[in-house]
């Protein structure tokens, strides 16, 4: 207990944030978890479109196959298409509903996507960013 208190008083404690274990192998799209969010999403060397979802959400379940097709279509492009279970991982983002789609550009700006949830509309949105 003394070591814990000493660490606290010296400002050396790090917060324990909610995070799933990062996947060892990525499938279609990039799975982002709480511990990898800054590294994968806020990395200014790339653009990222990420879906903040809840596994129980009907709209998220409907979007899932479209999201996989989008990830496959952009797999060889300079953009990351990712997904983030916002019920199992900590984020500082203010997520008000599911799914929430946010584009992070390589310059630190972000834009919440408000368009249709179709492959065509999402593809056009991403292509407009290049």
């Amino acid at each position: 207990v003394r070591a814990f208190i000493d660490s606290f008083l010296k400002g050396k404690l790090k917060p324990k944030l909610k995070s799933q274990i990062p996947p060892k192998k990525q499938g279609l799209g990039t799975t982002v978890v709480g511990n990898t969010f800054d590294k994968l999403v806020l990395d200014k060397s790339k653009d990222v479109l990420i879906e903040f979802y809840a596994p129980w959400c009907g709209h998220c379940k409907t979007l899932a196959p479209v999201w996989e097709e989008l990830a496959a279509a952009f797999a060889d492009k300079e953009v990351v298409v990712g997904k983030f279970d916002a019920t199992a991982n900590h984020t500082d983002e203010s997520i008000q509903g599911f799914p929430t789609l946010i584009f992070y550009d390589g310059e630190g700006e972000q834009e919440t996507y408000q368009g249709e949830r179709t492959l065509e509309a999402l593809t056009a949105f991403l292509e407009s960013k290049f």
Side-chain angles (χ1 to χ4, degrees), residues 3-16:
F4 177 81
I5 293 171
D6 288 341
S7 294
F8 174 77
L9 293 174
K10 292 177 182 175
K12 293 184 178 181
L13 290 182
K14 294 183 181 177
K16 177 99 171 147

Side-chain angles (χ1 to χ4, degrees), residues 56-90:
W56 46 260
C57 167
H59 296 294
C60 300
K61 290 176 183 178
T62 301
L63 180 61
V66 173
W67 201 255
E68 286 189 8
E69 285 184 64
L70 184 70
F74 284 87
D76 61 344
K77 306 281 196 254
E78 292 294 320
V79 64
V80 173
V81 176
K83 57 186 178 179
F84 183 91
D85 181 348
T87 66
N89 297 284
H90 172 80

Side-chain angles (χ1 to χ4, degrees), residues 4-77:
F4 177 81
I5 293 171
D6 288 341
S7 294
F8 174 77
L9 293 174
K10 292 177 182 175
K12 293 184 178 181
L13 290 182
K14 294 183 181 177
K16 177 99 171 147
L17 302 176
K18 188 171 158 181
S19 179
Q20 293 174 301
I21 297 171
K24 291 184 181 188
K25 185 176 182 184
Q26 296 285 355
L28 280 177
T30 301
T31 299
V32 180
V33 299
N35 290 338
T36 62
F37 188 86
D38 289 353
K39 178 182 170 193
L40 296 175
V41 177
L42 302 181
D43 178 358
K44 292 187 179 181
S45 70
K46 58 190 153 208
D47 295 335
V48 178
L49 179 61
I50 189 162
E51 172 196 12
F52 293 89
Y53 73 96
W56 46 260
C57 167
H59 296 294
C60 300
K61 290 176 183 178
T62 301
L63 180 61
V66 173
W67 201 255
E68 286 189 8
E69 285 184 64
L70 184 70
F74 284 87
D76 61 344
K77 306 281 196 254

Side-chain angles (χ1 to χ4, degrees), residues 91-124:
T91 180
D92 289 333
E93 295 298 333
S94 177
I95 306 302
Q96 301 297 317
F98 300 114
T100 296
L101 311 177
I102 301 177
F103 179 79
Y104 298 82
D105 70 15
E107 297 177 10
E109 299 296 319
Q110 67 185 59
E111 176 184 347
T112 301
Y113 177 76
Q114 301 292 340
E116 291 181 45
R117 307 287 168 83
T118 64
L119 180 60
E120 296 76 19
L122 288 162
T123 297

